[in-house]
Amino acid sequence: MVGHEGIGSQTGLLGVLGHPIAHTLSPRMHNAALKAQGVDMVYLAFDVPPEGLGAAVSGMRALGFRGCNVTIPHKEAIGALLDEVDTMAARIGSVNTVVNEAGRLKGHNTDVSGFIAALRGLRPDGAAGLRCFVAGAGGAARGVVAALQLEGAAEILVVNRTHERAVSLCAQASAWGSAPCVAVPVADGAAAAEGVDLLVNATAIGLTSYFKESALPVDTLNSRHIVMDLVYASGKVTELVREAKARGATAIDGKEMLLMQAAGSYELWTGRPAPVDVMRRSISE
Ligand code: NAP
């Protein structure tokens, strides 16, 4: 976008569909990038409840949107409304980016590449050879486990409040790569975590209730651990990141992954390398 005054009859439409959506940082990141590169598109946020998703997708088709992001609670449901879904999005059953290719809507998942890019920012070799502990078995955890398999992790342990979901995820993930993927009951999580290198919080447990509910063995963290919290909040550090750093671990919250998945979406819509620094500044201000 070239500023409001730059909006014209040819301006391309982008946006994010979610519910709730008020706190999304995506319009900030994308509009800053579009402006910096002089791309004639604009990105808006749309509050779409579950029962309105079909109409929203039809509306996008009718209005010729270039594409959109999709967030909670639509990432799984939107696949069935699209013309095509790419291999990774189909594998993990989750679409976070839609691209309109001459009237055909195609679903992609840039959370996976975003997670990998954020991890490589901490360790250039990514997850290669690492023993990994993933808390959670929802959509985000599925993406994380797929990414760890893609990256050549040595072993993946999955711990989730609802153990059957971890079992089901591991059964599928064993076909996604060569690392053994093992579902560990919450009660055995701390013991199983001994000797792991990378710990990921992919649960929805947020900023405050960490120590009561997290399956992550926070007390045993030390300087050899890498910790990635997928949770983030504007202007705040998560409890997990604070505690992990206090114990000498390398730790980041979900903002870097958010940024890198946005960069992946931007590149799909515009065909240009994303101005990552501009986007990072837009959410750190
Ligand atoms: P989801 O599909 O709803 O899964 C939620 C997960 O959290 C499940 O494993 C669930 O366990 C667990 N959980 C929820 N409340 C819990 C509690 N009180 N105690 C223990 N476990 C609990 O959600 P999602 O899409 O995977 O998202 C998970 C988190 O990742 C969210 O915070 C989301 O904001 C974040 N995320 C961040 C990014 C990023 O770019 N940084 C991208 C995607 C997602 P059960 O199976 O037992 O319900």
Side-chain angles (χ1 to χ4, degrees):
M1 187 172 75
V2 208
H4 292 179
E5 66 285 358
I7 294 175
S9 62
Q10 300 302 308
T11 301
L13 294 170
L14 296 168
V16 54
L17 316 183
H19 181 71
I21 201 67
H23 299 293
T24 180
L25 297 172
S26 294
R28 262 206 245 173
M29 284 189 287
H30 285 291
N31 287 317
L34 294 166
K35 185 174 179 184
Q37 294 193 334
V39 177
D40 188 13
M41 295 187 197
V42 62
Y43 186 111
L44 300 169
F46 299 98
D47 192 341
V48 178
E51 62 278 12
L53 184 62
V57 172
S58 300
M60 277 178 54
R61 287 184 195 275
L63 297 173
F65 268 59
R66 173 65 185 133
C68 69
N69 282 130
V70 184
T71 188
I72 290 173
H74 304 311
K75 286 184 181 185
E76 286 171 42
I78 199 165
L81 302 169
L82 305 176
D83 300 305
E84 199 182 338
V85 171
D86 80 4
T87 311
M88 183 55 77
R91 171 178 291 181
I92 62 173
S94 172
V95 167
N96 82 327
T97 306
V98 177
V99 182
N100 185 344
E101 301 288 2
R104 281 182 61 78
L105 300 186
K106 182 168 179 180
H108 301 259
N109 188 297
T110 66
D111 285 332
V112 174
S113 55
F115 173 81
I116 292 173
L119 174 58
R120 289 202 181 150
L122 300 176
R123 183 180 189 257
D125 287 343
L130 296 186
R131 296 191 63 214
C132 307
F133 182 107
V134 178
R142 291 176 68 81
V144 167
V145 169
L148 295 175
Q149 283 288 32
L150 209 61
E151 286 282 275
E155 183 182 16
I156 304 166
L157 307 176
V158 179
V159 181
N160 191 51
R161 175 177 64 177
T162 310
H163 183 60
E164 303 76 58
R165 290 185 84 193
V167 172
S168 154
L169 168 53
C170 286
Q172 292 173 58
S174 297
W176 298 345
S178 58
C181 187
V182 181
V184 177
V186 171
D188 303 335
E194 218 166 281
V196 300
D197 309 292
L198 170 68
L199 299 99
V200 182
N201 174 39
T203 73
I205 300 175
L207 295 166
T208 53
S209 59
Y210 232 92
F211 300 103
K212 279 179 277 168
E213 296 171 82
S214 166
L216 285 167
V218 178
D219 290 334
T220 60
L221 293 175
N222 61 48
S223 61
R224 59 176 290 281
H225 290 116
I226 299 172
V227 176
M228 293 179 70
D229 192 354
L230 265 50
V231 174
Y232 60 86
S234 195
K236 285 187 207 152
V237 173
T238 66
E239 284 291 310
L240 173 60
V241 168
R242 195 195 352 245
E243 290 295 327
K245 282 188 169 169
R247 289 166 171 77
T250 301
I252 55 169
D253 69 12
K255 279 203 283 299
E256 192 65 15
M257 174 176 165
L258 178 81
L259 172 69
M260 298 314 291
Q261 64 77 30
S265 302
Y266 184 91
E267 289 172 14
L268 285 169
W269 296 320
T270 66
R272 298 169 185 235
V276 172
D277 289 341
V278 170
M279 297 169 88
R280 186 180 285 113
R281 267 201 305 280
S282 76
I283 56 171
S284 60
E285 280 157 7

